[in-house]
Amino acid sequence: MTTTDSARSAAHPRFAAALDELGLGELLGRIRRFPDATRTAAEAAAAIGCELSEICKSLIFAADGVPVLVLMDGASRVDLERVRQELGAEKVTRAKVDVVRETTGYAIGGVPPFGHVTRTRVLADRSLLEHDVVWAAAGNPHAVFPMAPEDLVAHAGATLVDVREQNP
């Protein structure tokens, strides 16, 4: 098996295809696979050896019942009221497990920032831009990939917003 084949097998097949379609096939060689799941941002940061805030979480919410993806740094929490205001929605809640899979094609803990089965609105918190590189899931809970946050935001088709909880 070549390095590219090995890296390709680390990523979810749909995500590997999405990288190829976006002209980002070279990222396949930078995917890191771990023997243990990295379902949480803390687990991913520990496995990679990076700061928690260098993890990019891909979180699906329901805004008035419509799925929306929020990209957030791993050290922060999403402020649902700020998301609601940003979207002009009446109600924003965490999406149910089945909605996450239907919307993205991936399981919670492995949702990448792009390469989903459906197009959704994407919000990216500005906190991601505080780093030169962030790490995001590569379609499964065992694999992550590095990318400059500006590029990640662009490929995700995200709108930059301020939606993280503020510490009092």
Side-chain angles (χ1 to χ4, degrees), residues 51 53-55 73 127-134 148-150:
E51 294 295 321
S53 62
E54 292 175 288
I55 300 298
D73 77 82
S127 60
L128 292 169
L129 301 180
E130 296 171 5
H131 302 286
D132 293 332
V133 172
V134 292
E150 296 84 356

Side-chain angles (χ1 to χ4, degrees), residues 47-80:
I48 296 163
C50 70
E51 294 295 321
L52 184 55
S53 62
E54 292 175 288
I55 300 298
C56 174
K57 299 186 289 191
S58 298
L59 306 167
I60 300 289
F61 294 92
D64 295 336
V66 178
V68 61
L69 172 65
V70 177
L71 304 176
M72 177 61 68
D73 77 82
S76 300
R77 293 177 50 97
V78 174
D79 183 326
L80 295 183

